[in-house]
C-alpha cells in the first residue's frame, strides 16, 4: 500500500491562537489593520512574522518595529510567544488524533498526518480532507491542506500550491513547476541556485545528483529526492503508535454515560480478542474521548502483569472513573472513542486450577491492579531486589504498576539464619559498645539507655562502599550479627579500627532481626 500524507499549514498561527484565547488582536485599532509578531533581537524589537496584509504593504521579517510603524502608523504588534504557539499546535495535533494515530508537528505552523490506510474510514481522501476542513473552519482557523505521497511533497504543496490532493504516483509532476523555495533551503543556497539559472524544482530534477551534492551539499540532494518521492521518508509522530487500536465514531455526539460505558466495554472486549490472536497481553490501556468541541480527554488503566481479561480490565476502568477528581465532562457530546494498548508483553494461555478458583498470586495481582486504579500508580509500591552488595540499596520501592524486577532476593543458606535483618534504621543509630579484643565483636553495648550483654556474635562481614557511586570518602564497615542474653538479635557495625593515639572506632545499630 503506498504511503499517503496530509499536510496542514496555518499561514499565521498567532492570530488563530489569540482568537481562540479570546484575545482579539485587532483591539485598539482598525479591524483591517495589519498585524505583526515582534521579538527582541540585536537590541531592538524586530518583526519575526507578519500576516498577509502586512506582507502586501511591504513589511518583511527582521525589520525593526520602529521602521514598520513609521511606514504604517496603524500597525498592530504582539509579542512573540513560541511556547504558547507550540502548545496551541499540540492541541490541534491532539484533535487530529481522531483521524489517524500518526500525527507529527511540522514547525513552525504546520501538522503532518500519516493517513495511510485511514482515508477509507471517512469515505476517501477527499471526504477526509473536507471533514478536517469543516472542523478547522468551525474553529475559525485559516489553513491550507494537501495530500501527497511523501511528507516533503505534502509540505511543499500546502505552502506553495494552495493545497489539494495529488493522485498516487503523480507527486513529481505536480512539484516540478514549483520554485526552489518550496524545498525550504537556506537563503544563501537559494540565491546561489538562482544565480546559476536554477529557479524551479524541475531545473534541479534534471541535474545529476552528484553535481548538486558537490556544489551545494548533500542536504540539497536529500531534500530533492525525498520531495520527489525518490527516497522513502517517514514522520516521527508525537505519540508512539500503539500495538493495538480499536475505536468507534458516532454519527451524533454521545452524551449518555451508560451508553458510553457500554461502548468502552465493547472496545475492551474487541481489544482482548486482538491481543489473544497475537498471544500478547496489555500492560496499559488508554481510552481517548474526542469531544465535539475539539477537546480530547485521555484516561489510562495499568495492570501489574500482562492481561487480556476483558472483565477485569472493565472493573479497573470503573474504579478509575469513580476516583476521578475531574469528572469526565461530555460537554456537547463525544464524537469518537478510541482504546489503545501502548504497552504489551507476551502472554501465554493460562491454565486454571482444577477447582476453577484463581490461584493466590493472581488474586493478589488483581488486588494490586484495583488499588493502582483507585489511588494512583505512585501511591501503591512494591519492594524489588537490586543487584548490589550495599545493604541500604538491596531493596527499592517502585510503583506496583511497573514490571517486576528480574533480580532475585538473596536466599539464606540451608539451616542458617538470615544474613540481613527485616528492619533497617536509616540512618543507623549510634550505640556505645565495648569489645573484648581490639577489632573483635562487641561483648556489651548500650542502646536507648538499655545495656545489652552479648551472648553470641558472628562476624565480621566487611562491606566496602560502592566507589563508582559514592566515591572513596565513605569508610568501610565491619558488620556483626549479635544476640543478647534475652535472645534478641541485632545487626551492628563498626567504623574505624583500634589504633594507638587515634580516636576509638564508632559503633552503630543498623537493623533488628525478627
Amino acid at each position: 500500500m503506498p504511503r499517503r500524507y496530509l499536510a496542514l499549514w496555518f499561514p499565521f498561527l498567532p492570530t488563530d491562537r489569540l482568537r481562540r484565547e479570546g484575545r482579539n488582536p485587532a483591539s485598539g485599532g482598525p479591524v483591517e489593520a495589519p498585524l505583526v509578531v515582534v521579538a527582541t533581537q540585536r537590541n531592538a524589537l524586530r518583526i519575526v512574522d507578519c500576516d498577509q496584509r502586512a506582507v502586501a504593504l511591504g513589511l518583511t521579517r527582521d525589520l525593526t518595529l520602529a521602521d514598520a510603524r513609521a511606514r504604517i502608523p496603524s500597525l498592530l504588534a504582539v509579542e512573540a510567544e513560541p511556547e504558547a504557539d507550540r502548545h496551541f499546535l499540540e492541541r490541534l495535533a491532539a484533535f487530529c488524533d481522531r483521524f489517524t494515530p500518526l500525527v507529527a508537528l511540522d514547525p513552525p505552523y504546520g501538522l503532518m498526518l500519516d493517513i495511510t490506510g485511514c482515508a477509507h474510514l471517512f469515505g476517501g481522501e477527499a471526504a477526509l480532507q473536507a471533514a478536517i476542513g469543516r472542523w478547522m473552519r468551525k474553529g475559525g482557523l485559516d489553513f491550507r491542506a494537501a495530500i501527497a505521497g511523501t511528507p516533503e511533497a505534502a509540505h511543499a504543496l500546502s505552502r506553495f500550491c494552495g493545497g489539494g490532493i495529488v493522485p498516487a504516483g503523480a507527486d513529481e509532476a505536480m512539484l516540478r513547476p514549483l520554485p526552489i523555495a518550496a524545498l525550504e533551503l537556506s537563503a544563501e543556497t537559494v540565491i546561489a541556485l538562482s544565480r546559476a539559472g536554477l529557479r524551479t524544482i524541475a531545473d534541479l530534477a534534471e541535474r545529476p545528483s552528484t553535481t548538486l551534492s558537490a556544489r551545494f551539499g548533500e542536504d540539497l540532494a536529500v531534500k530533492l529526492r525525498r520531495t520527489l518521492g525518490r527516497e522513502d521518508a517517514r514522520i516521527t509522530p508525537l505519540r508512539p503508535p500503539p500495538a493495538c487500536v480499536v475505536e468507534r465514531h458516532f454519527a451524533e455526539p454521545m452524551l449518555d454515560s451508560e451508553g458510553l460505558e457500554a461502548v468502552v466495554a465493547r472496545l475492551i472486549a474487541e481489544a482482548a480478542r486482538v491481543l489473544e490472536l497475537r498471544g500478547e497481553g496489555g500492560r496499559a490501556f488508554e481510552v481517548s474521548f474526542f469531544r465535539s468541541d475539539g477537546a480530547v480527554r485521555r484516561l489510562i488503566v495499568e495492570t501489574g502483569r500482562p492481561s487480556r481479561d476483558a472483565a477485569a480490565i472493565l472493573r479497573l476502568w470503573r474504579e478509575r472513573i469513580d476516583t476521578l477528581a475531574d469528572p469526565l465532562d461530555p460537554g456537547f457530546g463525544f464524537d469518537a472513542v478510541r482504546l489503545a494498548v501502548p504497552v504489551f508483553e507476551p502472554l501465554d494461555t493460562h491454565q486454571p486450577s482444577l477447582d476453577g478458583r484463581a490461584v493466590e498470586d493472581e488474586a493478589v495481582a488483581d488486588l494490586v491492579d484495583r488499588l493502582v486504579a483507585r489511588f494512583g500508580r505512585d501511591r501503591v509500591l512494591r519492594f524489588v531486589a537490586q543487584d548490589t552488595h550495599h545493604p541500604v540499596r538491596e531493596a527499592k520501592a517502585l510503583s506496583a504498576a511497573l514490571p517486576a524486577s528480574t533480580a532475585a532476593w538473596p536466599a539464606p543458606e540451608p539451616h542458617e539464619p538470615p544474613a540481613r535483618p527485616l528492619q533497617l534504621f536509616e540512618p543507623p543509630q549510634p550505640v556505645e559498645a565495648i569489645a573484648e579484643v581490639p577489632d573483635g565483636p562487641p561483648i556489651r553495648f548500650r542502646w536507648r539507655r538499655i545495656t545489652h550483654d552479648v551472648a553470641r556474635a558472628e562476624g565480621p562481614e566487611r562491606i566496602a562502599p560502592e566507589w563508582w557511586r559514592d566515591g572513596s570518602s565513605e569508610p568501610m564497615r565491619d558488620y556483626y550479627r549479635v544476640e543478647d542474653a534475652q535472645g534478641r538479635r541485632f545487626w551492628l557495625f563498626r567504623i574505624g579500627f583500634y589504633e594507638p593515639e587515634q580516636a576509638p572506632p564508632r559503633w552503630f545499630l543498623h537493623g533488628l532481626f525478627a
Side-chain angles (χ1 to χ4, degrees), residues 29-103:
V31 177
E32 297 299 328
L35 177 68
V36 296
V37 180
V38 297
T40 302
Q41 296 179 352
R42 301 194 300 277
N43 299 324
L45 280 176
R46 297 180 181 272
I47 297 176
V48 296
D49 204 351
C50 44
D51 64 2
Q52 294 298 322
R53 290 188 296 271
V55 173
L57 294 174
L59 300 185
T60 61
R61 296 178 181 177
D62 204 40
L63 185 68
T64 63
L65 180 60
D67 292 341
R69 286 197 183 279
R71 300 180 187 181
I72 309 173
S74 62
L75 181 67
L76 296 176
V78 294
E79 292 187 5
E81 299 180 40
E83 291 299 324
D85 291 337
R86 179 178 176 85
H87 180 67
F88 182 63
L89 198 61
E90 289 176 350
R91 289 174 56 192
L92 293 177
F95 165 79
C96 292
D97 193 48
R98 69 184 64 198
F99 302 107
T100 172
L102 302 179
V103 182

Side-chain angles (χ1 to χ4, degrees), residues 376-394:
R377 61 181 300 171
D378 296 331
R379 297 185 179 181
V380 183
L381 307 177
R382 64 152 59 99
F383 286 102
V384 296
Q386 301 293 304
D387 186 13
T388 177
H389 69 274
H390 199 286
V392 176
R393 299 191 181 100
E394 282 186 338

